[in-house]
Amino acid sequence: MQDHPTLARLEREVRFLRRCAAASLLGFLLLGGAAFQSAQRQRFGEIDVERINVVEPDGRLALVIANQERLPGVWMDGKEHGDRKGYNGIIFFNAEGDESGGLTHWSERTPDGVRAGGHLSFDRFESDQVVALNYQEFPGYYGAGLTVAHFPQGSSKEWFAAMDSIGRLPQEQRDPAMRALRRRFFAEGKWETKRMFVGEEGRTALLRLNDTRGRPRIQLMVDSLDVPRLEFLDTLGAVVHTLPAGR
């Protein structure tokens, strides 16, 4: 007796569906195994990468390591402001997802000389850097040292919120608004106030202490001729007393 054509076709379809089911199960097992393996510790001898995002379990950024093209701009309130092209390094983030400091570096040889710099800083919460190690070099200047500064808490958050509002203004109103914003921040003491520097400027080893308005008041130094001195300055920056006297 000859098979009915409909039954033969059904048998072929059933066999096909069985193969598809088996293939799907195998794919699921392979994917599950790969996912399990990816959650485990991996070891690499060497990798080439342009950017690494280190994230918390909930996906928030903890830090970013990147090259000169991929380093992020300043993150505040979930928004990226500007960029840092030309710098490579590491950017730190706090529990709110805002930038909280970083390590950056850049260097190049230009027709007029070397231009280079290195920077490691830690930011106050919702503000800017209050502790920084810096190295800067360009034609006519060399400096390296530790800077301690004061920023009011929340000043950077307020600054970028104001910048966003200015960005929505008509083009002809933006520059006047920016100048007014800078004047207000300076007048209200919401900008950086440098309190201390210790390091080298040119060939002078220097410790500089500033008052609460950022004005140098005490300087202890050994200059390029290896002469030591201690200077006391008034609020206008004039030296009012020197030790040893007469120097």
Side-chain angles (χ1 to χ4, degrees):
M1 178 177 172
Q2 193 173 19
D3 291 340
H4 193 280
T6 301
L7 291 176
R9 185 174 67 254
L10 286 174
E11 289 178 356
R12 289 196 299 273
E13 290 177 353
V14 168
R15 286 196 296 270
F16 175 75
L17 290 173
R18 284 175 177 171
R19 289 195 294 269
C20 288
S24 298
L25 179 60
L26 178 60
F28 176 79
L29 292 175
L30 289 173
L31 287 174
F36 177 78
Q37 288 294 325
S38 67
Q40 307 305 307
R41 179 181 297 176
Q42 302 291 316
R43 179 172 180 175
F44 303 94
E46 181 176 344
I47 61 172
D48 294 329
V49 62
E50 294 185 1
R51 173 165 165 163
I52 297 174
N53 296 331
V54 179
V55 298
E56 302 292 354
D58 62 0
R60 288 181 295 110
L61 284 173
L63 61 88
V64 173
I65 306 171
N67 65 11
Q68 295 183 7
E69 290 295 317
R70 303 290 299 277
L71 200 66
V74 178
W75 277 90
M76 184 65 64
D77 282 343
K79 184 176 180 180
E80 186 177 15
H81 302 267
D83 63 61
R84 288 191 178 89
K85 287 188 177 181
Y87 298 87
N88 52 57
I90 306 172
I91 303 299
F92 310 133
F93 295 83
N94 63 24
E96 304 293 324
D98 299 331
E99 180 182 328
S100 59
L103 169 66
T104 59
H105 179 265
W106 58 276
S107 62
E108 60 179 345
R109 189 182 301 278
T110 66
D112 57 349
V114 171
R115 295 179 178 272
H119 177 89
L120 170 63
S121 66
F122 300 94
D123 299 349
R124 189 174 184 183
F125 190 80
E126 294 183 339
S127 291
D128 212 330
Q129 59 199 32
V130 291
V131 180
L133 280 172
N134 285 297
Y135 148 63
Q136 284 190 324
E137 182 174 8
F138 49 84
Y141 178 81
Y142 169 84
L146 168 69
T147 299
V148 176
H150 177 80
F151 268 97
Q153 188 173 3
S155 59
S156 290
K157 182 182 178 72
E158 183 180 349
W159 171 265
F160 285 114
M163 288 280 290
D164 289 343
S165 297
I166 291 173
R168 292 190 289 270
L169 293 174
Q171 185 65 47
E172 65 275 9
Q173 298 180 20
R174 293 178 189 176
D175 287 345
M178 277 299 305
R179 290 193 292 270
L181 177 63
R182 292 191 186 98
R183 287 195 299 269
R184 179 170 70 82
F185 263 64
F186 276 113
E188 296 176 359
K190 295 178 179 179
W191 210 255
E192 177 186 36
T193 303
K194 292 183 179 178
R195 298 305 309 274
M196 184 189 79
F197 171 81
V198 55
E200 184 180 31
E201 290 184 345
R203 291 289 290 157
T204 297
L206 177 66
L207 167 61
R208 179 185 294 123
L209 302 178
N210 302 342
D211 62 20
T212 57
R213 297 180 64 181
R215 299 171 298 197
R217 302 303 299 272
I218 298 175
Q219 296 187 147
L220 174 64
M221 65 190 72
V222 179
D223 64 23
S224 60
L225 300 176
D226 295 332
V227 177
R229 68 180 182 274
L230 174 62
E231 297 178 344
F232 296 85
L233 301 87
D234 63 17
T235 57
L236 299 178
V239 177
V240 296
H241 188 60
T242 303
L243 292 175
R247 287 188 177 174

Short mmCIF file of all heavy atoms in Angstrom, two decimals, residues 84 141 230 236:
data_model
loop_
_atom_site.label_atom_id
_atom_site.label_comp_id
_atom_site.label_asym_id
_atom_site.label_seq_id
_atom_site.Cartn_x
_atom_site.Cartn_y
_atom_site.Cartn_z
N ARG A 84 37.28 65.62 26.22
CA ARG A 84 38.67 65.74 26.64
C ARG A 84 39.61 65.21 25.55
O ARG A 84 40.62 64.60 25.85
CB ARG A 84 38.91 64.94 27.93
CG ARG A 84 38.31 65.56 29.18
CD ARG A 84 38.84 64.81 30.40
NE ARG A 84 38.35 65.36 31.63
CZ ARG A 84 37.22 64.97 32.23
NH1 ARG A 84 36.47 64.04 31.68
NH2 ARG A 84 36.85 65.50 33.38
N TYR A 141 57.82 77.77 30.19
CA TYR A 141 57.29 77.47 31.52
C TYR A 141 57.49 76.00 31.87
O TYR A 141 57.34 75.11 31.03
CB TYR A 141 55.80 77.78 31.62
CG TYR A 141 55.23 77.41 32.98
CD1 TYR A 141 55.40 78.26 34.07
CD2 TYR A 141 54.56 76.20 33.17
CE1 TYR A 141 54.90 77.92 35.32
CE2 TYR A 141 54.06 75.86 34.43
CZ TYR A 141 54.23 76.72 35.50
OH TYR A 141 53.76 76.37 36.73
N LEU A 230 62.13 83.30 53.25
CA LEU A 230 60.74 83.23 53.67
C LEU A 230 60.13 84.61 53.51
O LEU A 230 60.67 85.60 54.02
CB LEU A 230 60.64 82.79 55.14
CG LEU A 230 59.26 82.81 55.79
CD1 LEU A 230 58.31 81.84 55.09
CD2 LEU A 230 59.37 82.46 57.27
N LEU A 236 47.73 92.85 48.75
CA LEU A 236 47.97 93.30 47.37
C LEU A 236 49.12 92.54 46.72
O LEU A 236 49.46 92.80 45.56
CB LEU A 236 48.26 94.80 47.35
CG LEU A 236 47.14 95.70 47.86
CD1 LEU A 236 47.58 97.16 47.84
CD2 LEU A 236 45.86 95.51 47.05
#
